[in-house]
Amino acid sequence: MPSILVLNGPNLNLLGTREPAIYGADTLADVERRCRALGESLGSSIDCLQSNHEGALVDAIHDARGRHAGIVLNAGAYTHTSIALRDAISGVALPCVEVHVSNVHAREAFRHHSVIAPVCRGVIAGFGVAGYELAIRALAEDP
Ligand code: CA2
């Protein structure tokens, strides 16, 4: 059964607790439940992990090699800064879909640039937490 890693970065453990106008009301546990349910219906197993630490995210991407067919990644603010995450994604050569809950392009200018987008299969932003499910569907259809 092809497996997908849903990886969330810094502060996404706060989903559903604050700033609902930007990030909605679903908690990270809700998101992970929805992802697992979708995976089940698509015949994919879903592993979920969240960390606030850049190195732990790099380790998770490395560990995905040989275990997962692809990665759904919301790297949070590291999206805009982390060459280490970019190098990890290109290093493992797994298809990776960049996800953002909010429409980063409608927000502050510093959120408009992603250093990881060039090494990702694609980017989904602005569809709320449904973006994670869209990304899983994209990977399941074209692994
Ligand atoms: O829109 C997204 O998904 C982001 O990746 C979220 C990051 C932000 O730095 C990116 O620019 C866009 C921030 C995640 C913080 O999440 C919170 C959720 C609720 C309350 C406070 C923070």
Side-chain angles (χ1 to χ4, degrees):
M1 181 188 282
S3 170
I4 293 171
L5 175 65
V6 176
L7 184 58
N8 276 288
N11 297 308
L12 286 150
N13 53 311
L14 299 177
L15 272 179
T17 66
R18 286 176 38 227
E19 304 195 57
I22 299 175
Y23 298 114
D26 285 326
T27 65
L28 184 60
D30 295 330
V31 171
E32 293 180 348
R33 207 173 303 117
R34 278 168 62 165
C35 289
R36 288 199 184 91
L38 176 64
E40 211 164 289
S41 75
L42 296 173
S44 295
S45 93
I46 305 287
D47 279 351
C48 300
L49 201 147
Q50 186 272 334
S51 178
N52 293 317
H53 303 280
E54 188 176 20
L57 295 166
V58 169
D59 286 343
I61 292 166
H62 291 178
D63 289 347
R65 194 170 29 183
R67 292 186 192 189
H68 299 289
I71 303 173
V72 172
L73 174 62
N74 185 344
Y78 289 142
T79 302
H80 316 297
T81 62
S82 179
I83 309 300
L85 285 183
R86 176 188 170 127
D87 288 347
I89 295 162
S90 53
V92 299
L94 286 171
C96 180
V97 180
E98 177 182 336
V99 169
H100 299 287
V101 176
S102 65
N103 179 357
V104 283
H105 299 287
R107 300 182 63 194
E108 302 95 325
F110 64 82
R111 297 187 204 274
H112 296 180
H113 182 65
S114 166
V115 299
I116 65 172
V119 296
C120 287
R121 170 81 64 87
V123 180
I124 296 169
F127 294 101
V129 297
Y132 292 92
E133 291 163 293
L134 295 170
I136 289 168
R137 284 187 189 281
L139 284 175
E141 275 174 30
D142 188 9

